[in-house]
Amino acid sequence: MGSIDLKKYDLRSDLIIESNLDVKHLEYKEENISVDYVHLNKDNLGKRKGDYITISFLDITDSNNFNKVLKVLNRELKKIFKLSNIKDNDKCLIIGLGNNKSTPDSLGFEVLKNIIVTRHLDELNLMDRKYRSVACLEPSVIGNTGIDSFDIIEGVNKKIKPDFVIVIDSLAAINISRIEKTIQISNTGISPGSGIGNNRPELSFESLGCKVIAIGIPTVVSSAVIVNDTINYLTKKISYQKNNLTKSKMISPNNLNYLKEESDLSNFEKEKLLGIIGTLSDSEIKSLVYEVLNPIGYNLIVSTKEIDFMIEKFGKLIGMSLNECLHKN
Amino acid sequence: MGSIDLKKYDLRSDLIIESNLDVKHLEYKEENISVDYVHLNKDNLGKRKGDYITISFLDITDSNNFNKVLKVLNRELKKIFKLSNIKDNDKCLIIGLGNNKSTPDSLGFEVLKNIIVTRHLDELNLMDRKYRSVACLEPSVIGNTGIDSFDIIEGVNKKIKPDFVIVIDSLAAINISRIEKTIQISNTGISPGSGIGNNRPELSFESLGCKVIAIGIPTVVSSAVIVNDTINYLTKKISYQKNNLTKSKMISPNNLNYLKEESDLSNFEKEKLLGIIGTLSDSEIKSLVYEVLNPIGYNLIVSTKEIDFMIEKFGKLIGMSLNECLHKN
Amino acid sequence: MGSIDLKKYDLRSDLIIESNLDVKHLEYKEENISVDYVHLNKDNLGKRKGDYITISFLDITDSNNFNKVLKVLNRELKKIFKLSNIKDNDKCLIIGLGNNKSTPDSLGFEVLKNIIVTRHLDELNLMDRKYRSVACLEPSVIGNTGIDSFDIIEGVNKKIKPDFVIVIDSLAAINISRIEKTIQISNTGISPGSGIGNNRPELSFESLGCKVIAIGIPTVVSSAVIVNDTINYLTKKISYQKNNLTKSKMISPNNLNYLKEESDLSNFEKEKLLGIIGTLSDSEIKSLVYEVLNPIGYNLIVSTKEIDFMIEKFGKLIGMSLNECLHKN
Amino acid sequence: MGSIDLKKYDLRSDLIIESNLDVKHLEYKEENISVDYVHLNKDNLGKRKGDYITISFLDITDSNNFNKVLKVLNRELKKIFKLSNIKDNDKCLIIGLGNNKSTPDSLGFEVLKNIIVTRHLDELNLMDRKYRSVACLEPSVIGNTGIDSFDIIEGVNKKIKPDFVIVIDSLAAINISRIEKTIQISNTGISPGSGIGNNRPELSFESLGCKVIAIGIPTVVSSAVIVNDTINYLTKKISYQKNNLTKSKMISPNNLNYLKEESDLSNFEKEKLLGIIGTLSDSEIKSLVYEVLNPIGYNLIVSTKEIDFMIEKFGKLIGMSLNECLHKN
């Protein structure tokens, strides 16, 4: 590829499940919902040590599916609280990261809308004992406030000294199929907006002096991902057609079996189909696209047409789950 | 009035111009817009020492009037900056107090929407020298966050250390005629929401360690005010009719001359008209109404039908004025 | 009262339960929720003939109370459908009246947010038979569109020809105690915004050619009401104190027993307390206040501090109830 | 390409300037803003006969650039009114198409926010003669209302009978470089949302019985476009590098000259680089991507990170321009 150095590019995903980490994944499934556990006992490939829970699902727009995912989310939140050794009376600060003026980045904002706050009652000893002290903070983004969200968080955190914080954020994925179909929960701390390529101080026990639970949902993929996924799906499709043309001259466009099978095109076939591109790895292709599109300065994001509607739904889902899991009753 | 103790009630106004302070008011007028200055050299009747500028006007919905008020506001803001000894390069933090979920209380929120923030550029030395470092903070209200707005402000203030803060807030008035027709600017510090009867630590040089400019607009009156104003207007009207019935048997309902004249009803006439009520002072009447309505627990506010529209307009007015006055160009 | 003619003023309420109609009210109660039925067999005092159901309650902010009111609302909605002879497959158009730029007037707008629309699926024969064809229309107000809401409604109604329409609107009350504590359902047709003194063609079987169900909630009272209610509460309080001073020299300000008892002050006592005012009827007092305040041109509304929050809650309440009652399942 | 039939796919753009029409383009430039005229005297390749004006620019976020584009827009709007033979007193109905719950599709909604409506005053003969009768309608989308936007428009249009309508809509582009950098004005009528692949009755003189001016701004590209543009930019880049490697061994990644030059790679080189893909035309590549991604059911849109902010800006730009151009003063 001429003078293009592919190594120096790295498109990062916020999702442990999309990382190339060679770690043991424990997983179990229940009809259309799967849960995946990873424990890192040391930092690794930019992923911090600790517990990661990934909930994968197909839909939450149907109230039936919504309730199924809610049930699983409740269970897993309680699990991470236990894994993080959070006590019933520990005071909680929920931080909604992101930009309420950018829909795909407004998950934190939407979640806070649904949170029942109790800290002010607790401070006045008016709070029923079955509740936990819960406060909310929405630091917005530096572009709106002129203040790094970390500075707002640290300033308020020092002042009210919660026992743990819960951080809500929109995430970036590197596979289309993850958008709006995954919830990641971790107790490892996070770097706000890292997935979207910003650089901010991380929110962690080290920086805040209290436990940090993070809840995130991928709402965007970089435009580079589209090109890469297309090439992969294309390869799979051609491969599938090659193997099945004998059985059926005509393959319906709605036949999606090819998605299930891995491509078995030879490198020669791949190169014939896609030229040099066909010989590149995923990350090489993404870097190439990044290299080509980025300098042109198109600050593009890819999201779904339903993003406004979905963000509202997820805000309700996570908000309801937190209200349920944070309090004894 | 039986066992009702009128003394212990005090309906407070946020407006110096509505106070009973016996101070010299310097004022000048320009067609439909008047400006009133007060300087207190010591705290007095719950009003803090310092400078108060009150701009009174009839309308800002017509773009012509909007621009006239904007011009005056720009001039007065620059004046208070000078009076407060604010330097061209002093770093500014603009705080939008109030509750964006309660329209009459969302002035601060609406103003922040219109502010150009520059602090993040300044921190990176990317800011054009003709600008000043400006940051924004929206602490919301304790009912939404569980955190006293003062704690959020103090925490962030300690962290970013501005040279001065500008506080925007909706105010409560005790005269209907002030609603949406007054802007009060002061350099005395304020107690958030004092007018609506909440108790919060005050925002002042003493508490924040930097100068505090406050900009407020009355958007509500307590329901007690309606009763009192009605009784006053009624007395004036009857008095006017008494004095003019000879000249004209019939007085048109649209004849508003009575508003211009003071009532000259004798105490006897007043008592005949209004009984014991007629013998009470304004503050006694307001306290009486407060005493009667409050225990019933009707948390009422009186605002205009156009409040949503007006708040947006005032947000634009103050935002534009701050953008104009904070920067060299 | 000199040349003031009290008769020509009439402050109108949108609530049948606040009218002076001498009709038989059938009512039943269940803990904190009462339901009141009126059937008019001919138009009367500006109220149209037909069925009126009034649900009165204390609170819907607590989820427990919310669900109780929801249960009652579901039952009463089904009852009015039956009384109005609405069939399972009748196509429905839900019209959200009001102004989404004025919070107290945005009930219709908030309800529509929560409605599941199906008409487009029905037109394509994609709709599951257990659903009914439901469409939504938000005509906004003439001040925003330049078009009378009636013209928009009639134009669309002619085009899509529903079997019945459901009209949602914010109402005006003439007693503080009704605000946000009443739901009125009727099958009599309505005049949009009549309560707030506008004049619009009425929405009725005569004008639209299909049945009209109206659902309304009082969100505002005119400022005149405050004065009148204050005077009434005051009279009650003084009367109560007169009768109880023997038993207890001191009556605590939080003693609200006086609200439960009727005033038994003699006309002489009333006049001593309130002068001529004390001798006026409610409607005379309201008219008097109206006469005094109105020419001054203060376009005031009285609502609760929580109106933004409450409107959202009621939007959810009515929306959920309509989704439940309009479809077979 | 196996059994894939490329012909049957056609990714449509809403922009005449992106069409393959072989028509005479008259254009002129003024620093960073260019205007392009096309007149079709008969329908052609799915584009209707009439006048098309395309304004291209780089930025409207800087107030300086905003005002420059506004000036040009005002001039071109007045021009299309003249071309369409619109009289000073012709009554106007402005229709904001699209979905206010989907940011990239909410341009119409944002524009209406900024329109001064006068029709209601005109109907009451209260309108100053220097104004024109202007009304607004926001039909929303069938998914929100259950009613085809065309039915709402036709119903209201029949009722209020304007002399001409102005239709505002978000458009879909097929080149990244068009997003948020183009305004298209036409007097040819439009098919709502055609660009996003929906099918609705068109809004035209034939269907509405009055002149139809359309104003649109491309806010999204289909994901297929990303792949295609990437491949084109890639080819250009490689071609450029091939031609310039002699002069400089190393080409900086920020060297964007390659964008200015056309690729001169031979078919052999193209195929070596991109395989079969390299031999396909743009529309073949887009169809291929469409074929691969679509069945997987990812309803993706590509927009910019700033879309929420930009939509608000464009709403203001077009709103201000319409207020300026529709009235005599």
Side-chain angles (χ1 to χ4, degrees):
Chain A
M1 298 303 303
S3 66
I4 302 181
D5 166 13
L6 293 178
K7 301 290 148 284
K8 71 171 181 292
Y9 299 95
D10 173 33
L11 289 192
R12 169 168 170 190
S13 165
D14 292 319
L15 299 174
I16 185 96
I17 208 163
E18 290 184 330
S19 72
N20 302 323
L21 281 174
D22 172 23
V23 286
K24 202 146 113 294
H25 285 250
L26 297 168
E27 153 146 14
Y28 70 88
K29 267 191 132 38
E30 49 203 55
E31 34 153 346
N32 292 334
I33 305 178
S34 69
V35 182
D36 174 284
Y37 300 98
V38 170
H39 176 79
L40 299 185
N41 40 32
K42 58 174 177 44
D43 295 2
N44 194 343
L45 291 183
K47 295 296 178 191
R48 298 171 45 82
K49 74 167 193 285
D51 302 293
Y52 296 83
I53 300 177
T54 306
I55 307 174
S56 309
F57 44 86
L58 294 181
D59 171 63
I60 63 153
T61 61
D62 168 87
S63 68
N64 211 331
N65 294 335
F66 182 95
N67 291 325
K68 279 182 196 158
V69 175
L70 179 58
K71 219 168 113 279
V72 175
L73 178 56
N74 289 343
R75 190 186 59 218
E76 300 306 323
L77 267 179
K78 286 168 181 165
K79 188 171 297 163
I80 201 99
F81 288 168
K82 187 169 231 129
L83 287 167
S84 315
N85 189 19
I86 296 198
K87 310 260 180 314
D88 274 1
N89 298 327
D90 285 354
K91 294 166 192 281
C92 175
L93 171 63
I94 304 178
I95 299 168
L97 293 176
N99 181 357
N100 68 347
K101 292 177 189 157
S102 170
T103 311
D105 198 18
S106 62
L107 177 67
F109 178 77
E110 284 296 323
V111 169
L112 291 200
K113 273 191 195 166
N114 295 281
I115 295 298
I116 300 165
V117 297
T118 57
R119 180 179 173 277
H120 52 311
L121 304 175
D122 186 40
E123 300 290 301
L124 301 167
N125 293 308
L126 296 174
M127 186 178 69
D128 184 331
R129 279 294 128 228
K130 74 186 180 207
Y131 291 107
R132 174 202 302 273
S133 167
V134 174
C136 283
L137 181 65
E138 188 197 328
S140 189
V141 292
I142 193 167
N144 296 346
T145 62
I147 310 173
D148 190 316
S149 54
F150 180 80
D151 290 336
I152 296 178
I153 294 165
E154 197 193 24
V156 174
N157 179 65
K158 269 209 184 102
K159 188 86 185 137
I160 72 171
K161 298 194 176 44
D163 298 304
F164 69 111
V165 304
I166 296 177
V167 182
I168 318 286
D169 201 6
S170 301
L171 306 178
I174 53 177
N175 293 289
I176 297 172
S177 59
R178 285 283 160 198
I179 305 186
E180 297 168 6
K181 292 183 166 47
T182 305
I183 301 174
Q184 175 172 278
I185 310 171
S186 71
N187 56 11
T188 63
I190 68 162
S191 314
S194 56
I196 339 179
N198 314 342
N199 255 327
R200 309 254 188 75
E202 69 179 14
L203 299 168
S204 63
F205 188 88
E206 291 69 19
S207 64
L208 294 181
C210 69
K211 295 159 198 154
V212 174
I213 308 282
I215 305 175
I217 293 175
T219 58
V220 293
V221 292
S222 89
S223 38
V225 167
I226 299 287
V227 183
N228 184 60
D229 284 14
T230 307
I231 289 170
N232 288 336
Y233 289 130
L234 176 61
T235 321
K236 281 182 166 198
K237 182 154 194 156
I238 301 300
S239 156
Y240 179 83
Q241 287 173 327
K242 186 193 70 177
N243 301 332
N244 295 276
L245 274 178
T246 48
K247 311 184 199 90
S248 81
K249 279 260 147 305
M250 184 52 189
I251 294 167
S252 110
N254 301 327
N255 174 342
L256 300 186
N257 296 336
Y258 66 87
L259 292 176
K260 305 196 197 72
E261 299 177 13
E262 276 316 305
S263 151
D264 66 354
L265 293 189
S266 68
N267 287 344
F268 171 77
E269 290 170 311
K270 272 206 187 137
E271 187 158 351
K272 183 162 182 352
L273 174 64
L274 291 162
I276 296 172
I277 300 287
T279 66
L280 301 177
S281 74
D282 279 14
S283 73
E284 284 174 324
I285 290 173
K286 282 169 187 158
S287 308
L288 176 60
V289 178
Y290 185 85
E291 156 113 358
V292 170
L293 287 185
N294 217 48
I296 307 168
Y298 294 119
N299 198 358
L300 298 168
I301 50 172
V302 182
S303 59
T304 66
K305 280 213 183 87
E306 300 73 22
I307 181 68
D308 300 65
F309 173 73
M310 294 303 291
I311 282 280
E312 203 181 317
K313 278 273 180 199
F314 278 116
K316 212 173 139 206
L317 179 78
I318 298 179
M320 287 170 70
S321 186
L322 286 171
N323 290 335
E324 162 76 25
C325 301
L326 284 171
H327 304 296
K328 267 146 265 160
N329 182 359
Chain B
M1 299 302 304
S3 67
I4 301 182
D5 165 13
L6 293 178
K7 300 292 146 286
K8 70 171 183 290
Y9 299 95
D10 173 33
L11 289 192
R12 170 167 168 189
S13 164
D14 293 318
L15 299 174
I16 185 95
I17 207 162
E18 289 183 330
S19 71
N20 302 323
L21 281 174
D22 172 21
V23 286
K24 200 147 113 293
H25 285 250
L26 297 168
E27 154 146 14
Y28 70 88
K29 266 190 133 37
E30 49 204 56
E31 36 154 345
N32 292 332
I33 305 178
S34 68
V35 183
D36 174 283
Y37 301 99
V38 170
H39 176 80
L40 299 186
N41 41 32
K42 58 175 177 42
D43 294 4
N44 194 342
L45 292 184
K47 294 296 178 191
R48 298 171 45 82
K49 73 168 195 285
D51 302 292
Y52 296 83
I53 300 177
T54 307
I55 306 173
S56 309
F57 44 87
L58 294 181
D59 171 62
I60 64 154
T61 62
D62 167 86
S63 69
N64 211 330
N65 295 333
F66 183 96
N67 291 325
K68 278 181 196 159
V69 175
L70 179 58
K71 218 167 112 283
V72 175
L73 179 55
N74 289 343
R75 190 187 57 218
E76 299 307 322
L77 267 178
K78 286 168 182 167
K79 187 170 298 164
I80 201 99
F81 287 169
K82 185 167 233 131
L83 287 168
S84 313
N85 190 20
I86 295 196
K87 310 261 181 314
D88 274 2
N89 297 327
D90 284 355
K91 295 166 192 280
C92 176
L93 171 63
I94 304 176
I95 299 168
L97 293 176
N99 181 357
N100 68 345
K101 293 176 187 156
S102 171
T103 310
D105 197 16
S106 62
L107 177 67
F109 178 77
E110 283 297 324
V111 169
L112 292 201
K113 272 192 194 166
N114 294 281
I115 296 298
I116 301 165
V117 297
T118 56
R119 180 180 174 276
H120 52 311
L121 303 174
D122 185 40
E123 299 290 301
L124 301 167
N125 295 308
L126 295 174
M127 186 177 71
D128 184 330
R129 277 296 129 227
K130 73 186 180 208
Y131 291 107
R132 175 202 301 273
S133 167
V134 174
C136 283
L137 180 66
E138 188 198 327
S140 190
V141 292
I142 194 166
N144 296 346
T145 61
I147 310 173
D148 190 315
S149 55
F150 180 80
D151 291 336
I152 296 179
I153 292 165
E154 196 193 24
V156 174
N157 179 64
K158 271 212 182 97
K159 188 88 184 134
I160 72 171
K161 300 194 176 42
D163 298 304
F164 68 112
V165 303
I166 296 176
V167 182
I168 318 287
D169 200 6
S170 300
L171 306 178
I174 53 177
N175 293 289
I176 297 173
S177 59
R178 285 282 161 199
I179 304 187
E180 297 169 5
K181 291 182 167 47
T182 305
I183 300 173
Q184 175 173 279
I185 309 171
S186 71
N187 58 10
T188 62
I190 68 164
S191 313
S194 56
I196 340 180
N198 313 342
N199 257 326
R200 309 253 188 74
E202 68 178 14
L203 298 168
S204 64
F205 188 88
E206 292 69 19
S207 64
L208 295 181
C210 69
K211 295 158 198 154
V212 175
I213 309 282
I215 304 174
I217 293 175
T219 58
V220 293
V221 292
S222 89
S223 38
V225 168
I226 299 287
V227 183
N228 183 59
D229 284 13
T230 306
I231 288 169
N232 288 337
Y233 289 130
L234 176 60
T235 320
K236 281 181 165 196
K237 182 154 195 158
I238 301 300
S239 156
Y240 179 82
Q241 288 173 327
K242 187 193 67 174
N243 301 332
N244 295 276
L245 275 180
T246 48
K247 311 183 200 90
S248 80
K249 279 260 147 305
M250 184 54 188
I251 294 167
S252 110
N254 301 327
N255 174 342
L256 300 186
N257 296 336
Y258 67 87
L259 293 175
K260 306 196 197 74
E261 300 177 11
E262 273 317 302
S263 152
D264 66 353
L265 294 188
S266 67
N267 286 345
F268 171 76
E269 290 170 312
K270 270 206 191 137
E271 186 156 354
K272 184 165 181 352
L273 174 64
L274 291 161
I276 295 171
I277 300 286
T279 65
L280 301 176
S281 73
D282 281 13
S283 72
E284 284 174 324
I285 290 172
K286 283 169 188 158
S287 307
L288 177 60
V289 178
Y290 184 85
E291 157 113 355
V292 171
L293 286 185
N294 216 46
I296 306 167
Y298 294 120
N299 198 358
L300 298 169
I301 49 173
V302 182
S303 59
T304 66
K305 280 213 183 90
E306 300 73 22
I307 181 68
D308 300 65
F309 173 73
M310 293 304 290
I311 282 281
E312 204 182 316
K313 279 272 180 199
F314 279 115
K316 213 174 138 205
L317 179 77
I318 298 179
M320 286 171 71
S321 185
L322 285 171
N323 290 335
E324 162 76 24
C325 300
L326 284 172
H327 304 297
K328 267 143 267 164
N329 183 0
Chain C
M1 297 303 303
S3 67
I4 302 181
D5 167 11
L6 294 177
K7 301 289 147 289
K8 69 171 182 291
Y9 299 96
D10 173 32
L11 290 191
R12 169 167 170 191
S13 164
D14 293 319
L15 299 174
I16 185 94
I17 206 162
E18 290 183 330
S19 73
N20 302 322
L21 280 174
D22 172 24
V23 287
K24 202 148 112 292
H25 285 250
L26 298 167
E27 153 146 14
Y28 69 88
K29 267 192 133 37
E30 49 204 55
E31 35 152 347
N32 293 333
I33 305 177
S34 68
V35 183
D36 175 284
Y37 301 98
V38 170
H39 176 80
L40 298 185
N41 41 33
K42 58 175 178 41
D43 295 1
N44 194 342
L45 292 183
K47 295 294 178 193
R48 299 171 45 83
K49 74 166 193 286
D51 302 293
Y52 296 83
I53 300 177
T54 306
I55 307 173
S56 309
F57 44 87
L58 295 181
D59 171 63
I60 63 155
T61 62
D62 167 88
S63 69
N64 211 329
N65 295 334
F66 183 95
N67 291 325
K68 278 182 196 159
V69 175
L70 179 58
K71 218 168 114 280
V72 175
L73 178 56
N74 289 343
R75 190 188 58 219
E76 300 306 323
L77 267 178
K78 285 169 182 167
K79 189 171 295 165
I80 202 98
F81 287 169
K82 187 167 231 132
L83 287 167
S84 314
N85 191 20
I86 294 191
K87 310 262 181 316
D88 275 0
N89 298 327
D90 285 354
K91 294 166 193 280
C92 176
L93 171 63
I94 304 177
I95 298 168
L97 293 176
N99 181 358
N100 67 347
K101 292 175 189 158
S102 170
T103 310
D105 197 17
S106 62
L107 177 67
F109 178 77
E110 284 297 324
V111 169
L112 291 201
K113 273 192 194 166
N114 295 280
I115 296 297
I116 301 164
V117 297
T118 57
R119 180 180 173 275
H120 53 311
L121 304 174
D122 185 40
E123 299 292 300
L124 301 167
N125 294 309
L126 296 173
M127 186 178 69
D128 185 329
R129 276 299 128 225
K130 75 186 177 209
Y131 291 106
R132 174 202 302 273
S133 167
V134 174
C136 282
L137 180 65
E138 188 197 328
S140 189
V141 292
I142 193 167
N144 296 346
T145 62
I147 310 172
D148 190 314
S149 54
F150 180 79
D151 290 336
I152 296 179
I153 293 165
E154 197 193 24
V156 174
N157 179 64
K158 270 211 183 101
K159 188 89 184 132
I160 73 171
K161 298 193 177 47
D163 297 304
F164 70 112
V165 304
I166 296 177
V167 182
I168 319 287
D169 200 6
S170 301
L171 306 179
I174 53 177
N175 293 289
I176 297 173
S177 60
R178 285 284 160 197
I179 304 186
E180 298 168 4
K181 292 184 166 45
T182 305
I183 300 173
Q184 175 173 278
I185 310 171
S186 70
N187 57 11
T188 62
I190 68 162
S191 313
S194 56
I196 338 179
N198 314 341
N199 256 326
R200 309 254 189 74
E202 68 178 13
L203 299 168
S204 63
F205 188 88
E206 293 68 19
S207 63
L208 295 180
C210 70
K211 295 159 198 154
V212 175
I213 309 282
I215 304 174
I217 293 175
T219 58
V220 293
V221 292
S222 90
S223 39
V225 167
I226 299 287
V227 183
N228 183 59
D229 284 14
T230 307
I231 289 168
N232 288 337
Y233 290 130
L234 176 60
T235 321
K236 282 182 166 195
K237 181 152 195 159
I238 301 300
S239 155
Y240 179 83
Q241 288 173 326
K242 188 193 66 176
N243 301 333
N244 297 275
L245 275 179
T246 49
K247 310 183 200 92
S248 81
K249 279 257 146 306
M250 185 53 190
I251 294 167
S252 112
N254 300 329
N255 174 343
L256 299 186
N257 296 336
Y258 67 86
L259 292 175
K260 306 196 197 72
E261 299 177 13
E262 274 316 304
S263 149
D264 65 353
L265 293 189
S266 67
N267 285 345
F268 171 76
E269 290 171 311
K270 271 204 188 139
E271 186 156 352
K272 183 164 181 354
L273 173 65
L274 290 162
I276 296 172
I277 299 288
T279 66
L280 301 177
S281 74
D282 281 12
S283 73
E284 284 174 324
I285 290 171
K286 283 170 188 157
S287 308
L288 176 59
V289 179
Y290 184 86
E291 157 111 358
V292 171
L293 286 185
N294 217 48
I296 307 168
Y298 295 120
N299 198 357
L300 299 168
I301 51 173
V302 182
S303 60
T304 66
K305 280 214 184 88
E306 300 73 22
I307 182 68
D308 300 64
F309 173 74
M310 293 304 291
I311 282 281
E312 202 182 317
K313 278 274 180 198
F314 278 116
K316 212 174 141 205
L317 179 77
I318 298 180
M320 287 170 71
S321 185
L322 285 170
N323 290 334
E324 162 76 24
C325 300
L326 283 171
H327 306 296
K328 268 143 263 160
N329 181 1
Chain D
M1 298 304 302
S3 66
I4 302 182
D5 167 12
L6 293 177
K7 301 290 147 289
K8 71 172 179 292
Y9 299 95
D10 173 33
L11 290 191
R12 170 168 169 188
S13 164
D14 293 319
L15 299 174
I16 185 96
I17 207 163
E18 289 184 330
S19 72
N20 303 323
L21 280 175
D22 172 23
V23 286
K24 201 145 113 294
H25 286 250
L26 298 168
E27 153 147 14
Y28 70 88
K29 264 190 136 34
E30 49 204 58
E31 34 151 347
N32 292 333
I33 305 178
S34 68
V35 182
D36 174 284
Y37 300 98
V38 170
H39 176 79
L40 298 185
N41 42 32
K42 59 175 175 46
D43 295 1
N44 193 345
L45 291 184
K47 296 294 178 193
R48 298 171 45 82
K49 75 166 192 285
D51 302 293
Y52 296 83
I53 300 177
T54 307
I55 306 173
S56 308
F57 44 87
L58 294 182
D59 170 63
I60 63 155
T61 62
D62 167 87
S63 69
N64 212 329
N65 294 334
F66 182 94
N67 291 326
K68 278 182 196 157
V69 175
L70 179 58
K71 221 169 110 279
V72 175
L73 179 55
N74 288 344
R75 190 187 58 219
E76 299 306 322
L77 267 178
K78 287 169 181 167
K79 188 171 296 165
I80 201 99
F81 288 169
K82 187 169 230 131
L83 286 168
S84 314
N85 190 20
I86 294 193
K87 309 262 181 315
D88 274 1
N89 298 327
D90 285 354
K91 295 165 192 280
C92 176
L93 171 62
I94 304 177
I95 299 168
L97 293 176
N99 181 358
N100 67 346
K101 293 177 189 156
S102 170
T103 311
D105 198 17
S106 62
L107 177 67
F109 178 77
E110 284 296 325
V111 169
L112 291 201
K113 273 191 194 167
N114 295 281
I115 295 298
I116 300 165
V117 296
T118 57
R119 180 180 174 275
H120 53 312
L121 304 175
D122 185 40
E123 299 291 301
L124 301 166
N125 294 309
L126 296 174
M127 186 178 71
D128 184 331
R129 275 299 128 225
K130 73 186 180 206
Y131 291 107
R132 175 202 300 275
S133 166
V134 173
C136 282
L137 180 65
E138 188 197 327
S140 189
V141 292
I142 194 166
N144 296 345
T145 61
I147 310 173
D148 190 314
S149 54
F150 180 80
D151 291 336
I152 296 179
I153 293 166
E154 197 193 24
V156 175
N157 179 64
K158 270 209 182 102
K159 188 88 183 135
I160 73 170
K161 298 194 176 44
D163 297 304
F164 70 111
V165 303
I166 296 176
V167 182
I168 318 287
D169 201 6
S170 300
L171 306 178
I174 52 178
N175 294 289
I176 298 172
S177 59
R178 285 282 160 198
I179 304 187
E180 297 168 5
K181 292 183 167 45
T182 305
I183 300 173
Q184 176 173 278
I185 309 171
S186 71
N187 57 11
T188 62
I190 68 162
S191 313
S194 55
I196 339 178
N198 315 343
N199 256 327
R200 310 253 187 74
E202 69 178 12
L203 299 168
S204 64
F205 188 89
E206 292 70 18
S207 63
L208 295 181
C210 70
K211 296 158 197 154
V212 175
I213 309 283
I215 304 174
I217 293 176
T219 58
V220 294
V221 292
S222 91
S223 38
V225 167
I226 299 288
V227 183
N228 183 60
D229 284 14
T230 308
I231 289 170
N232 289 337
Y233 290 130
L234 176 60
T235 321
K236 281 183 168 195
K237 182 154 195 158
I238 302 300
S239 155
Y240 179 82
Q241 289 173 327
K242 187 193 68 177
N243 301 333
N244 296 276
L245 276 180
T246 49
K247 311 183 198 91
S248 80
K249 279 258 147 305
M250 185 52 190
I251 294 168
S252 110
N254 300 328
N255 174 343
L256 300 185
N257 296 335
Y258 67 87
L259 292 175
K260 307 196 197 72
E261 299 178 12
E262 275 316 304
S263 150
D264 66 352
L265 294 188
S266 67
N267 286 346
F268 171 76
E269 290 170 312
K270 270 203 189 142
E271 186 155 355
K272 181 158 182 0
L273 174 64
L274 291 162
I276 295 172
I277 300 288
T279 66
L280 302 176
S281 73
D282 280 12
S283 73
E284 284 174 324
I285 290 171
K286 283 170 187 157
S287 309
L288 177 60
V289 179
Y290 185 85
E291 157 112 357
V292 171
L293 287 184
N294 217 47
I296 306 166
Y298 295 119
N299 199 358
L300 298 169
I301 51 172
V302 182
S303 59
T304 66
K305 278 209 183 92
E306 299 73 23
I307 182 68
D308 300 65
F309 173 73
M310 293 304 292
I311 282 281
E312 203 181 317
K313 279 274 180 196
F314 279 117
K316 213 174 137 204
L317 179 78
I318 298 180
M320 286 170 72
S321 185
L322 285 171
N323 291 335
E324 161 77 23
C325 300
L326 283 172
H327 305 297
K328 267 144 265 162
N329 181 359

